[in-house]
Amino acid sequence: MSNHTTAKTKSDRAAWLQGPPAACSVPVNHVDHAWRLVLLGAPGAGKGTQAELLTAQLGACHLSTGDVFRAAKNSCNCELSPAMTQAVAAMKRGELVTDTTVLSMLKERAGCLSCLGGFLLDGFPRTVAQAQALEDLLKQQNVQLDAVLSYELPIEQIVERLSGRRTCSVCKAVYHITGRPPKKPDVCDHCGGQLIQREDDRPESIRVRMEAYQKSTAPLIDFYKKLGVLVEIPAHGSPEEIFERTLKILKPKTKQAAATGECCCCSSHKKA
Ligand code: AMP
């Protein structure tokens, strides 16, 4: 697609994964349009995979709150704060981390929201309180969301996807044992890291996570519908098919924004 700049070098996301004072080692690529997107969908609907494909296509940084908690859990060199220790324990049980902890973690990293490369928020917001706090933070940073992409899939397909999902222990690339297998079993195509099954992708955690999603995250669909930024995307089929669907939806939004100078999703406000 001509109006999207392909990212040449992937950011190590140090500013996001480690928080301040860490800075990303790869400078932000020039992008034609800094996309600012939220990805919604039940666990297993394919948000992480789409975020990875979108990052490569659009140059925007993949900001996953789950990756921050997993990075904290795996950094054995430093002692975790009491809040982060509780967050990691909640994550292991498949429960949501408290809004207070998630929001203080996000506020520390607010600079990532005004990054010139744009962002793809994955796994945040997960509650209406988080969505409201995000709106406030975006206002403070003087940036606006282009769209909220909601990936939709029936529950049986979600369970099948989650139980077959494997993640690279080093670069966090996402695979599926049948749907998106690595070239070499259990080895990451990108960095050669070992592929693992996330603790929270085990059956007992999947059930808890689905309940948490229905209770806390599904109401976000109405929240963003009311704001006029929600885009519903059927999440069946291969990752490539879902990606094509996503790009088809985003392409006219770029043209619309360029023509009017307005936000890609609604005509009520101008782009920052
Ligand atoms: P994810 O990789 O997005 O599925 O997140 C993995 C786990 O991290 C979740 O099951 C939660 O325990 C925790 N988590 C990540 N993001 C959030 C959030 N925005 N609010 C609450 N808990 C979160």
Side-chain angles (χ1 to χ4, degrees):
M1 290 177 61
S2 57
N3 57 343
H4 291 135
T5 304
T6 302
K8 307 252 176 337
T9 326
K10 203 175 166 188
S11 164
D12 61 357
R13 300 183 297 161
W16 177 253
L17 292 178
Q18 294 159 36
C24 296
S25 64
V26 177
V28 174
N29 288 305
H30 169 78
V31 290
D32 301 335
H33 174 77
W35 285 94
R36 299 195 172 99
L37 301 170
V38 167
L39 275 59
L40 283 187
K47 295 186 307 293
T49 306
Q50 292 307 308
E52 226 187 279
L53 295 169
L54 284 165
T55 293
Q57 179 77 38
L58 307 178
C61 202
H62 179 192
L63 305 183
S64 152
T65 39
D67 281 351
V68 174
F69 296 128
R70 281 183 287 278
K73 179 175 143 253
N74 297 332
S75 64
C76 42
N77 293 338
C78 63
E79 204 175 308
L80 295 181
S81 67
M84 203 44 113
T85 307
Q86 278 181 12
V88 168
M91 184 183 74
K92 279 193 194 164
R93 293 191 297 268
E95 293 167 8
L96 289 188
V97 173
T98 62
D99 284 345
T100 316
T101 302
V102 177
L103 289 174
S104 78
M105 191 272 278
L106 188 79
K107 280 176 191 156
E108 270 182 10
R109 292 160 174 78
C112 292
L113 299 176
S114 51
C115 176
L116 294 177
F119 62 78
L120 305 163
L121 270 173
D122 164 17
F124 181 92
R126 259 183 162 96
T127 63
V128 171
Q130 290 181 15
Q132 264 151 357
L134 176 63
E135 283 294 295
D136 295 343
L137 267 179
L138 291 172
K139 263 188 206 130
Q140 282 165 24
Q141 299 285 317
N142 202 23
V143 292
Q144 286 157 357
L145 289 179
D146 288 304
V148 173
L149 309 178
S150 174
Y151 290 97
E152 313 211 327
L153 194 69
I155 184 134
E156 320 78 66
Q157 289 180 43
I158 284 178
V159 173
E160 197 274 327
R161 276 200 192 164
L162 282 178
S163 51
R165 181 158 75 176
R166 298 293 180 271
T167 308
C168 174
S169 53
V170 180
C171 76
K172 313 298 169 211
V174 183
Y175 298 83
H176 188 277
I177 48 175
T178 53
R180 198 184 183 211
K183 291 188 188 113
K184 232 169 118 186
D186 298 327
V187 178
C188 178
D189 293 347
H190 304 299
C191 74
Q194 198 201 345
L195 301 189
I196 51 165
Q197 182 173 41
R198 283 168 32 175
E199 266 180 87
D200 56 353
D201 279 346
R202 299 197 176 127
E204 59 281 14
S205 295
I206 291 176
R207 192 180 46 77
V208 181
R209 289 167 71 202
M210 289 309 299
E211 282 167 12
Y213 177 78
Q214 287 303 341
K215 185 164 156 254
S216 307
T217 312
L220 289 181
I221 299 200
D222 276 345
F223 179 92
Y224 283 119
K225 242 183 211 164
K226 281 187 192 135
L227 287 186
V229 290
L230 190 82
V231 179
E232 287 160 296
I233 303 178
H236 57 83
S238 70
E240 290 69 25
E241 285 165 344
I242 305 167
F243 185 51
E244 274 309 306
R245 256 171 242 148
T246 308
L247 290 183
K248 263 192 201 140
I249 285 166
L250 293 182
K251 196 174 178 180
K253 287 184 179 298
T254 317
K255 286 188 185 150
Q256 179 193 336
T260 62
E262 283 172 345
C263 167
C264 292
C265 293
C266 63
S267 53
S268 61
H269 50 258
K270 299 275 174 195
K271 286 282 297 172

